Each structure stands twice: as structure tokens, then as C-alpha cells.
Amino acid sequence: MPKTFADDLDQRAGELAADIEHQSASQTWVINGRWGSGKSSLLRALQPHLLQRGLLPIVVAPPPRDMDTGPAALLQIAEALHEQGFLNGELERLQDPAEPWSKKLSATMLGIQKHRGDVVLLCDEPGKWKVPPTAKETFSPYNNRHIEQVVEQILHGVDCKRVLTHPSGLRSGDSRPYDLPKDTHPSWLLDSSEQWGDLADVAHDVHKRLGAKLAVATPLEIRLLVALAAVTTVSQVDSYYRAEWPESQAIALRLATAMEAHDEFAALRTLWSQLALCRGSISPDLLRGMGAETLNPKARAVLYNGLLHWRAPGYEMSHVLRFQERVASWLDVEGRLAAHRRLADYYGALMERIQPQAASLSRELEAFHHASEAADAGALQRFRPLFVDQLNQLGRALSKDARDFAAAADVFRKAIEWDDDNDYAHHYLAYNVDWLATDPGLAEQEYERAIDLNPEHPWWWSRWINFLITVGRPRDARAQWREAVSALGVTSGEPPDTVYQSLHLPVARLLVHRMQLDFAETVLTETPSALRQNDSRFRALTDLLAVLRETERARAVFPLSVPFADWWNGPHLDFPRETPEGRLEQWFPAQVDEVDDAIVHLIMAKRDRDDGKVTYAQVELPREQFDRASMDEPSERLQAGRFLELAFYGAQEALHIRTHPETLWQALGLPALDPDPRRYLRIAGIGS
């Protein structure tokens, strides 16, 4: 009988387990391989082999990159220890919300340490557990302290055997590498009709066309190529692979793009985007409940044999497919919230069906996660949170997605009751109370407390300073600005661009809106010039500030549609280079100051070609002359404030005039004002 991929995996797991059995209790192994090469599969395949050798393997594979990843990892370890009677009743401590995180962590790690000779931690890429940056940041908006502490304890705290998949976050040491082969045997995968089900013929044809060229492809890449061939054609996949030799991320994107072009995969696209929200094993019951069996046969085959893979007791979806931006875009906000509601209901019903003694804390955590991501204000009544991280996640969703700032504030109050040292909870209690504009004293107190706890987070500073600007305390805002740039290293070094984007950008935006132009100019001047030029948001603010400065002096002559850096690189309107009167000799920008019965009054600017000095003049044009020269609107349709350009042709300086389109005063790329700068005035009955 030919060898299969599963046979190879089991053989490798047996060899590695034998090595683990005979090494010291403090030894670490690192499984290396490309994304999709089978590192996670090998890690789990170790379990039965280690159990046969009298060891206790504990798989630690929490949902990565989420706000509750730290608690999830801790619960996986604790529940495994509890099942073996190694935790001595400490599981009840983890279920007490009032118990400090530090005690929960130390109790769990002590359980490992006491049985260090038996325990083998099997950790799936702990280096990737932390909450990732947002799209425009290089730091996480969330405090990863609990996640980092769990990883630190796993890697360097407890003295037991551990097996990690790479990247692990391991700094250095005497770890023993286990390298998965760079070349695979595609025949092990592609010639197995049992594995491919209804895609068996497609898999066979892919193997026939590409053959040994697939030896460098990982199992995940082969699975995605077969799915892509089912959605498109084997011939297209053949050409694509030979031309680009793509890796799994590129194939996943191409698969998603290909599905968009075929209506027969519309339902599968929706299901893919919903299943991407699942963080663990996907049971057959859950798949049926989400409509997998109602898919057409071809889409169902792609789902079960391409997007999912079986790993008992359910199906799993690779992170390559879960964290795919194009797939995420298929769900709008309401669709995403609805999917999380369905998942919360599924886990809630599952918990009701099982016996209390078999209840899983990890399953409870998953139910609360989905209720939180659904922005369910009743989550605290339906499910039991055990960690402050879970409350922070719920509060974030209530504020960001549901815009229920009062409910969010209540959740963050509860989080602070559980952990008064949690800077995230303090800051977002302040932020939501600030949004409501009902208790400026509490907002001030909580903003300051968050900064005391974590003075290195730029968001904490920018929102605090903007609060001071909003409530009319510019002197305090300037003082806190100086504190912020010092605390964040802006004055002593060159911080990353994200510090400026998180501190300087929102503060400058509000200052420009409030016409505090000197302070705004200070903030923008302290931003690196390259960032002001390359970031469209900073460019828009710089342009707006320049226009407002000119307006302040009653001599603005350019609309916001003309970037500040291009003001004098004109003309900006569509003038001919030559007319019957001659060539274009010079042009001037202008703004309509007034139009009376006989005269069009303009403010016109001229820039000296030698020294760059700009001078302004009042120009009066008879309406008849204006109308003869105008290439656009006649004088009767002009209003004060319209921007013009005047061009002069030939030796006689024949005049032609063009008018800028009438546009709202909104620079392209200008950041939104959020929250409303007039909120405190409105609450007081002053603003409109």
C-alpha cells in the first residue's frame, strides 16, 4: 500500500516523541517549516505518542491575536492539568473574577512546575499570539501584558519540556530544532481519492499537469491549488503555478478573487467569511447550522476539501484563510455582528446540552467572545466572564460597533473593579464618558489614571489632550502636550511614524477645527517633514492650516482642492497654452471679494519669481470686462468666496478667466472629527 501524508506525519511524531522521552525535563524543541508545511499537525500528532510514553502533553493553541488570547492559553493549560488531578482544586481560583490575574497565572504555572517531569507543553506559534497592529499602526491598540506574561512563563518561567512551532518568540538557548522537509511528496496527497472526496478527479489532474513541480509546495498550498482548480480550471492553475510559484497567502487571495467572478460560489463566499470568525474546531453540527449542506455540490466540495481540513474532533480553517482581508470584506458590519450572534447562540446551546461536570471553561470563554464581538449588551447576563480581558473586549465592541457608549462605560467600570491597574479599562472608561459629555470630572480622572499606568501609549495622551482642548483648557492642553512628547521620546529621539499618527495627527486635527492655529502649527511643525508629505492625512491638515492662515489675513486665493505644495505650480485650471492673442504669459490666483451692480471685486495674489515673496492686491473688474474674459460662469452667478484664476496672453495681455468648481471646504484625506467637538456645548444646551 503506498505511503500517505498521514503515515509520514505519524512516523515523524513517533521519532520526535522518542527523543522527547529521553531528554532532560527542561529541554525545548522547535519545529521549523514554511507556513502550511504541517507544523501544527505534527504538534498535535505528538499527543498520542507522548501519552503512550507516560507523559502529559498539553496543547497550548489559543485563538491568536485576540484580546482574550492570554486567558484562553491559561485555561487550556489549567483544564489539562485539572483533568489529570494536577491542579489541586486551583481551577476554582481561575473561575473567580475577583481573583487577580497574577494569582491565576502563578497558580497555573505552579501546577506545571510541581509535575515538571511529566508535563510536555505543545505550543503552537506563541510568537504570534499577541494582538496585532491595526492597519495604520505598528503597535497594538490593546495592552498585550497578559498575553506576554503567559508566553514569558511558557518560554522562560516553568522548567518543563516544551515543543514550539516556529515562529515561537524564543529568544535563544539550547533548543533542539526539528526541521520539516522543504520538499514534499505530492503523490501522498494528490493520489489519495479518499482524502479529496468529490475533488479527487481535480486533484488527480493537478498532479498530472504539475507533477514533481509540486514537490516544493506545502500540503496547505497543494490543497489550495486543488480548490483553485475546482473554481477555475486545471489549465489556469498549471499556468499560474509555473509562472509565479506562489506561496499559500498568494494562492488564498487568488482563490478568493476567483470566487468573486462566479455566482455559483456566492453562498460559499458568505460561509467562508463567517467561518473565518470561528477560532477553534468547527463541528459538523455547526457547519450544518450555518448552511454548509445547502451549498451546491461543487461549492460543498471546495468547502470540505479545500477551505477546511479535518482534525478530530472537527474541522479547522488555516489562519491563511481566516486572516484574509478580501474575505473579511465580504461581510459588512451588520453581517459580521449577525455571524457572531449565531456563533454565540451555538456555543450557548451547546453549554446547555452538556452536563455541568463536563462543562469547559474554554467553551465558556468562546461563547462570551462571540457575544462580545456581536456587541451584545446582554452578554454579561447570558454568559460568565472570568477575566478582565473579556470585559475589555465587550466594552470595545459596545463602543466601537454598537455605539452604545453608556453600556460600554458600565462594562469598563466593572473591569476596573476587577483590575484597578488595567490602563486599557481606565482609558476607555474615560473615552466613553467623554463621548457622552455628562461627567467631565470622571473623564479627566480616568484619562490621567490610564496615563499614570501606561505613559508610553500615544492614544492615551492624544485623547486626554483633545479632551482638554474640547472643554476649553488650552493652557493645560499645551502643558500636557509637552509632557506627552517627552514621555513618548519625541524630543529625545526619532520615534516610529505611528507615534506621530496617533498623537500629532488627532491633536492637530482638533486644533485646526477649533481655529487654534498657533498650537496646531506647533504640532505639525514637530511632525517629520517626510511624514507630512507622504501621509495624505497630514497633507490635508497642512493644506487646511495654510488656507486658514490666509483666510485669517483675509487673503485666501486658492481652494482646498489645490494642495499647499502646488499653489504656485499653476495654472491649475484648463487654460490653453496659446490663443489668437498670443502665448500664455502669466497667471494669477484670486478670490471673489464682492460683486455689485457694476464691478467684480477680487483679491488677487502675485508671487515674485526671484525671492518667492507673495503680494496681494484689490482688483476691480467691470462686469462687462469680466464677462468677456470669463471662460466659465458669468458675473451674475458669482458669489463672494469663489476662487478664480486669471491668465494673460500675448503682448497686449489679453485676459481670460476661469472659475474653480464650487466645492465644500473639505480637504481630501482630512481625518474625521470623532467624537463631536461640540458635545459638551450641546449637553449644556448651547451648541446646535
Side-chain angles (χ1 to χ4, degrees), residues 16-322:
L16 183 52
D19 187 39
I20 292 170
E21 180 184 16
H22 295 103
Q23 297 298 327
S24 67
S26 59
Q27 185 61 57
T28 298
W29 289 258
V30 177
I31 302 174
N32 298 300
R34 288 169 51 207
W35 210 340
S37 60
K39 301 186 298 294
S40 299
S41 296
L42 177 57
L43 195 74
R44 287 162 174 78
L46 280 170
Q47 278 188 284
H49 289 275
L50 293 172
L51 286 169
Q52 290 172 9
R53 289 166 168 79
L55 298 171
L56 173 60
I58 300 177
V59 174
V60 191
R65 309 173 184 178
D66 231 325
M67 293 172 68
D68 59 354
T69 298
L74 200 65
L75 287 179
Q76 288 180 352
I77 297 171
E79 289 187 312
L81 291 171
H82 177 72
E83 288 176 7
Q84 298 297 320
F86 287 174
L87 211 53
N88 295 327
E90 295 293 346
L91 195 65
E92 287 73 18
R93 173 175 286 185
L94 270 70
Q95 299 180 64
D96 182 0
E99 188 76 0
W101 164 264
S102 59
K103 291 187 177 180
K104 293 181 178 183
L105 178 63
S106 62
T108 304
M109 295 303 148
L110 183 60
I112 295 175
Q113 196 65 27
K114 285 180 177 178
H115 304 278
R116 54 187 292 271
D118 300 311
V119 171
V120 183
L121 294 178
L122 307 177
C123 304
D124 202 358
E125 295 194 353
K128 288 191 173 182
W129 291 354
K130 292 200 301 183
V131 178
T134 58
K136 295 174 182 172
E137 309 292 348
T138 57
F139 61 89
S140 167
Y142 187 63
N143 186 337
N144 279 300
R145 178 165 50 96
H146 290 171
I147 302 170
E148 290 169 345
Q149 288 173 350
V150 171
V151 173
E152 177 66 22
Q153 284 295 313
I154 287 174
L155 299 184
H156 308 290
V158 294
D159 192 22
C160 69
K161 296 177 182 179
R162 58 185 72 79
V163 184
L164 317 171
T165 56
H166 183 79
S168 65
L170 191 66
R171 290 192 290 267
S172 62
D174 298 325
S175 61
R176 293 170 68 86
Y178 187 92
D179 298 325
L180 288 173
K182 295 180 181 179
D183 293 345
T184 59
H185 295 273
S187 60
W188 295 355
L189 290 171
L190 294 168
D191 286 348
S192 173
S193 58
E194 291 182 2
Q195 174 167 325
W196 292 104
D198 291 339
L199 293 186
D201 290 342
V202 178
H204 175 77
D205 290 344
V206 169
H207 187 203
K208 185 177 179 181
R209 293 290 288 266
L210 288 170
K213 289 182 174 58
L214 290 174
V216 296
T218 67
L220 174 60
E221 288 164 359
I222 291 175
R223 185 155 47 85
L224 294 179
L225 287 169
V226 171
L228 181 59
V231 172
T232 58
T233 67
V234 173
S235 177
Q236 286 176 288
V237 168
D238 180 26
S239 300
Y240 166 58
Y241 194 76
R242 291 173 187 272
E244 300 187 25
W245 297 87
E247 294 191 343
S248 55
Q249 294 92 330
I251 305 172
L253 176 58
R254 195 175 185 96
L255 176 60
T257 305
M259 282 190 186
E260 292 177 344
H262 297 83
D263 290 341
E264 64 181 316
F265 295 106
L268 179 56
R269 290 198 303 270
T270 300
L271 183 57
W272 180 356
S273 61
Q274 293 170 339
L275 292 175
L277 303 177
C278 297
R279 308 190 304 172
S281 183
I282 303 170
S283 71
D285 283 346
L286 177 57
L287 281 171
R288 282 191 292 272
M290 296 184 76
E293 298 307 312
T294 66
L295 296 173
N296 64 64
K298 191 173 185 180
R300 192 163 59 248
V302 171
L303 170 68
Y304 283 106
N305 302 293
L307 302 182
L308 301 175
H309 64 280
W310 177 260
R311 182 182 285 156
Y315 292 93
E316 291 194 3
M317 178 177 284
S318 167
H319 295 161
V320 172
L321 298 170
R322 283 192 59 217

Side-chain angles (χ1 to χ4, degrees), residues 517-567:
L517 303 187
D518 291 339
F519 191 179
E521 195 161 16
T522 297
V523 172
L524 287 173
T525 301
E526 292 179 4
T527 306
S529 59
L531 187 59
R532 294 201 307 270
Q533 294 167 8
N534 297 329
D535 188 314
S536 61
R537 299 167 297 173
F538 275 110
R539 282 201 311 271
L541 270 179
T542 301
D543 292 347
L544 179 56
L545 177 62
V547 170
L548 293 176
R549 282 296 198 195
E550 294 297 295
T551 304
E552 193 176 46
R553 294 185 279 267
R555 56 191 190 188
V557 292
F558 292 100
L560 284 175
S561 57
V562 179
F564 172 68
D566 294 335
W567 274 6

Side-chain angles (χ1 to χ4, degrees), residues 483-499:
E483 292 285 337
V485 296
S486 175
L488 296 170
V490 176
T491 55
S492 60
E494 191 66 28
D497 287 350
T498 50
V499 169

Side-chain angles (χ1 to χ4, degrees), residues 8 70 73 81 115 126 177 321 331 389 410 433 491 581 653 676 678:
D8 181 72
L81 291 171
H115 304 278
L321 298 170
L331 283 181
D389 311 70
D410 288 341
V433 169
T491 55
E581 296 99 333
E653 294 191 338
D676 181 1
R678 297 166 294 175

